[in-house]
């Protein structure tokens, strides 16, 4: 009997331990503040939003995150991972926040908590043939997109498309267009603009918006303490001119979401 009890107690303790491991809690803003640093993950392959300049992360979102962290009184520890790993790792509490140009979608909002948007944009159609401009021009065409993106979701809705080729990185989706393996590439308007400016000889033309979206950071589902602080910091940089300066530096315009979005 005594032995049974000991075994039962041992099992109960082991079970409790296992449960604690499974429910590893997202860090609240208080935990992060005490630690002095917030862990933020991004991709680093989506210029001019997040990319590598040599071995250093740079871009609009890197600057926005640094400015917000400054308001929050914490330092950032950056992590760079493939796009499809970002929200998954957030759900496993491997980092506190993700900033990687994620559009706010209902589907994603089931799994993570979005902050307020830090810019508004949308997916545009880019092609070498200037006649391919709008959704209807994609009929019978082969289109490249980055895997796991809203570009893929929205191209899927265009029933007349012949084939969608997806690539782990947006830069590969672009390369497919440049080398003539696809007829069109769908990506963010500002990414397309920067890419066209940087490769004037590639013969790419920017067409219409396929859809528009609001872009936000994400924190673990229900981490309202952190989301609240990020929203406050975003509000502060939008109000004090910091955001405008960063936006002008990268885009020559202010890309914040305008009311009533
Ligand atoms: N805005 C698109 C989406 O929400 C694309 C984001 C791509 N971001 C990146 N870092 N490659 O899916």
């Amino acid at each position: 009997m005594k032995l049974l009890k000991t075994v039962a107690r041992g099992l109960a303790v082991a079970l409790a331990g296992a449960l604690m491991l499974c429910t590893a809690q997202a860090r609240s803003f208080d935990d992060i503040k005490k630690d002095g640093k917030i862990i933020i993950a991004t991709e680093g392959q989506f210029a001019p939003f997040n990319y590598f300049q040599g071995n250093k992360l740079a871009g609009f979102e890197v600057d926005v995150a640094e400015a917000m962290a400054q308001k929050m009184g914490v330092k950032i520890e950056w992590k760079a991972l493939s796009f499809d790993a970002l929200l998954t790792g957030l759900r496993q509490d491997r980092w506190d926040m993700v900033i990687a140009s994620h559009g706010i979608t209902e589907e994603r909002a089931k799994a993570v908590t979005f902050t307020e948007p830090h810019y508004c944009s949308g997916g545009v159609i880019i092609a070498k043939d200037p006649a391919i401009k709008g959704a209807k021009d994609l009929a019978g065409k082969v289109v490249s997109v980055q895997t796991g993106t809203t570009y893929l979701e929205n191209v899927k809705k265009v029933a007349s498309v012949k084939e969608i080729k997806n690539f782990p990185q947006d830069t590969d989706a672009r390369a497919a267009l440049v080398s003539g393996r696809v007829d069109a590439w769908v990506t963010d308007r500002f990414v397309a603009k920067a890419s066209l400016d940087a490769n004037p000889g590639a013969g790419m033309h920017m067409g219409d918006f396929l859809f528009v979206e609001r872009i936000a950071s994400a924190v673990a589902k229900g981490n309202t303490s952190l989301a609240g602080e990020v929203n406050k910091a975003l509000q502060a940089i939008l109000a004090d001119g910091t955001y405008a300066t960063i936006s002008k530096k990268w885009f020559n315009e202010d890309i914040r979401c305008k009311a009533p979005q």
Side-chain angles (χ1 to χ4, degrees):
M1 196 60 200
K2 205 167 171 215
L3 181 68
L4 258 180
K5 259 193 193 160
T6 315
V7 170
R9 199 175 303 130
L11 274 176
V13 169
L15 195 69
L19 274 176
M20 263 163 69
L21 274 181
C22 294
T23 55
Q25 278 287 311
R27 299 199 302 165
S28 69
F29 181 65
D30 277 351
D31 299 336
I32 293 168
K33 185 95 191 189
K34 259 181 233 141
D35 184 30
K37 65 170 206 283
I38 180 168
I39 305 173
I40 304 184
T42 190
E43 185 199 25
Q45 308 292 342
F46 202 57
F49 290 106
N50 59 79
Y51 68 106
F52 279 94
Q53 272 179 357
N55 56 12
K56 223 180 144 331
L57 274 172
F60 173 74
E61 289 180 308
V62 174
D63 285 357
V64 165
E66 291 288 353
M68 292 195 300
Q70 202 176 339
K71 296 278 181 206
M72 289 157 66
V74 293
K75 293 251 172 293
I76 301 179
E77 179 182 326
W78 284 103
K79 302 240 184 253
L81 293 111
S82 63
F83 184 67
D84 65 354
L86 296 170
L87 298 188
T88 314
L90 190 60
R91 297 188 68 184
Q92 298 161 348
D93 296 312
R94 292 171 59 203
W95 31 85
D96 302 306
M97 183 175 123
V98 166
I99 187 164
S101 287
H102 284 91
I104 301 174
T105 67
E106 255 177 56
E107 198 54 35
R108 287 172 178 165
K110 286 181 195 156
V112 299
T113 292
F114 281 107
T115 65
E116 292 299 315
H118 57 280
Y119 73 94
C120 271
S121 187
V124 289
I125 298 164
I126 304 104
K128 286 191 178 177
D129 177 353
I132 303 177
K133 284 198 297 244
K136 64 171 188 344
D137 307 319
L138 296 180
K141 304 291 185 222
V142 182
V143 183
S144 64
V145 290
Q146 182 180 22
T147 314
T149 59
T150 50
Y151 314 131
L152 173 59
E153 289 313 309
N154 284 277
V155 175
K156 272 188 192 161
K157 291 182 192 158
V158 185
S160 57
V161 164
K162 181 176 167 201
E163 189 191 342
I164 307 174
K165 283 198 198 294
N166 41 130
F167 298 88
Q169 290 186 11
D170 187 62
T171 46
D172 296 325
R174 178 190 63 205
L177 174 67
V178 172
S179 65
R181 282 174 287 150
V182 299
D183 303 302
W185 162 46
V186 173
T187 191
D188 181 84
R189 184 178 100 91
F190 296 104
V191 171
K193 214 163 161 260
S195 191
L196 264 56
D197 289 349
N199 305 281
M204 295 186 281
H205 298 274
M206 186 154 91
D208 305 337
F209 273 118
L210 189 59
F211 66 99
V212 293
E213 61 181 351
R214 302 185 314 143
I215 306 288
S217 303
V219 299
K221 180 84 180 163
N223 192 351
T224 47
S225 117
L226 179 55
E229 288 302 319
V230 173
N231 285 337
K232 257 201 260 164
L234 176 61
Q235 203 44 53
I237 64 166
L238 284 167
D240 74 2
T242 309
Y243 179 98
T245 306
I246 296 172
S247 186
K248 295 237 166 70
K249 166 183 159 193
W250 290 100
F251 306 106
N252 249 325
E253 61 179 295
D254 192 317
I255 69 168
R256 77 182 66 195
C257 296
K258 316 263 179 336
Q261 291 241 5

